Structure formats: C-alpha cells, structure tokens
C-alpha cells in the first residue's frame, strides 16, 4: 500500500491543482491491495488525492472505502447491490451506451423500489453479456463495436493503441 501511495504522490507533483483519482481494476492490473487502507494513507499524504474508481466485484471491500473519499463504482453488473450498500457514484462503461438503465436504478433505489431496480440491473447485465459474446477483441473493443454498430449512427472508428 505504501509503495502505491508513494507512486501516486510522485504523480501528484506533476498535477498539484488537479484532483487525483486512482483507478482500481485488479482484474486487468493484477494489483489488488486493500483500497480502504490505500485511500486512508493517500488522503493523508497526497494533497490532491480525491478518491478512486472501484472496478471490482468485491463490495465487502468496496464499502470500506466509502469513508475515505469519493468512490466511483466501475462494475456495471453490480450497481443495485452497490447502491444498496451506500455507493452513490458510478463511472461504468455501459453509461456510454445505455445510461437510462443506470439512471433509473439510482432513482428507483432512492425511492425504495428495489424489485424494479433489479429488473433494470438485469437489462444492464444482459447488455454486458451480449457485448462480451460478440467477436473482435477485449471488452473495450467489443463495447466500441456495439456502440458503432447497434446503438448509434456515429462511427467512432477503431480502438486506439495500446489496445
């Protein structure tokens, strides 16, 4: 944890006036440190540390982060559960293509309509499943392909390097 905070601190020296967020996505980075501990230390040592994007399915660890700064959920398929546990912000890939379901989930959860929120969660999960089954690369490439071919009249072109 301290090594990651040291790295973030070094990065922050180059952008001292910009809020700094760490993107926790252990499935791709293979870095799976206790984020609550990281956030607590980063908050005390990095002046412009603001929070994290938490892209992990482990909500037990995720909710521990909520008291240490801003936490954006990044895992599309668990929005209902995350909101039920206290998350109130999200940066999810499905928001680029089908934002209406997530907006409805947030509204319905706030109104205590959990069953209705679950139905919209199922729609997001089906979108993710269908997109992942499409051919042509990783999640980012497949999402862009789905956007270009199915959800928009715009052509956003190919995915840029390094992907």
């Amino acid at each position: 944890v301290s090594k990651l905070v040291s790295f973030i601190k070094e990065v922050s020296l180059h952008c001292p006036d910009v809020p700094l967020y760490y993107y926790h996505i252990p499935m791709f980075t293979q870095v799976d440190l206790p984020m609550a501990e990281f956030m607590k230390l980063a908050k005390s040592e990095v002046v412009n540390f603001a929070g994290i994007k938490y892209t992990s399915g482990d909500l037990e660890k995720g909710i521990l982060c909520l008291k240490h700064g801003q936490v954006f959920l990044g895992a599309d398929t668990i929005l209902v559960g995350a909101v039920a546990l206290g998350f109130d912000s999200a940066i999810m890939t499905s928001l680029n293509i089908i934002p209406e379901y997530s907006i409805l989930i947030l509204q319905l959860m706030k109104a205590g309509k959990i069953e209705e929120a679950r139905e919209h969660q199922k729609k997001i999960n089906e979108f993710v499943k269908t997109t992942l089954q499409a051919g042509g690369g990783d999640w980012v490439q497949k999402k862009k392909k789905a956007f270009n071919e199915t959800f928009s009249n715009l052509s956003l072109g190919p995915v840029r390097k390094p992907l």
Side-chain angles (χ1 to χ4, degrees):
V1 170
S2 62
K3 287 181 181 181
L4 182 57
V5 171
S6 293
F7 176 76
I8 296 296
K9 190 173 185 176
E10 188 176 321
V11 169
S12 76
L13 298 175
H14 301 281
C15 54
D17 299 326
V18 177
L20 186 63
Y21 290 86
Y22 175 73
Y23 187 178
H24 178 61
I25 185 164
M27 67 191 90
F28 292 145
T29 64
Q30 305 305 308
V31 176
D32 195 7
L33 300 171
M35 283 294 103
E37 185 181 326
F38 163 77
M39 289 182 73
K40 184 177 180 182
L41 187 59
K43 195 173 171 181
S44 70
E45 292 193 18
V46 182
V47 175
N48 57 335
F49 178 75
I52 64 172
K53 178 179 176 184
Y54 187 83
T55 306
S56 169
D58 191 337
L59 289 177
E60 183 178 1
K61 291 179 183 176
I63 60 173
L64 297 174
C65 299
L66 297 175
K67 63 182 173 185
H68 298 295
Q70 189 167 27
V71 181
F72 292 98
L73 178 70
D76 305 60
T77 58
I78 58 173
L79 180 59
V80 168
V83 172
L85 291 170
F87 282 76
D88 62 4
S89 304
I91 301 174
M92 304 179 310
T93 52
S94 64
L95 287 169
N96 294 291
I97 302 171
I98 51 170
E100 61 277 8
Y101 297 131
S102 296
I103 292 167
L104 280 169
I105 286 171
L106 294 173
Q107 293 169 344
L108 291 166
M109 291 297 288
K110 189 174 184 177
K113 298 179 179 180
I114 297 170
E115 288 302 321
E116 288 180 57
R118 285 181 187 159
E119 291 305 311
H120 293 289
Q121 181 69 70
K122 288 177 187 175
K123 292 175 184 175
I124 292 174
N125 293 3
E126 186 59 33
F127 162 77
V128 169
K129 179 182 174 186
T130 301
T131 302
L132 286 172
Q133 289 173 344
D138 69 7
W139 169 239
V140 174
Q141 292 165 314
K142 290 175 181 184
K143 179 187 68 170
K144 193 162 190 179
K145 180 180 180 195
F147 186 83
N148 285 341
E149 295 177 1
T150 309
F151 296 97
S152 174
N153 296 346
L154 302 173
S155 176
L156 303 179
V159 175
R160 292 177 284 149
K161 292 180 179 181
L163 298 175

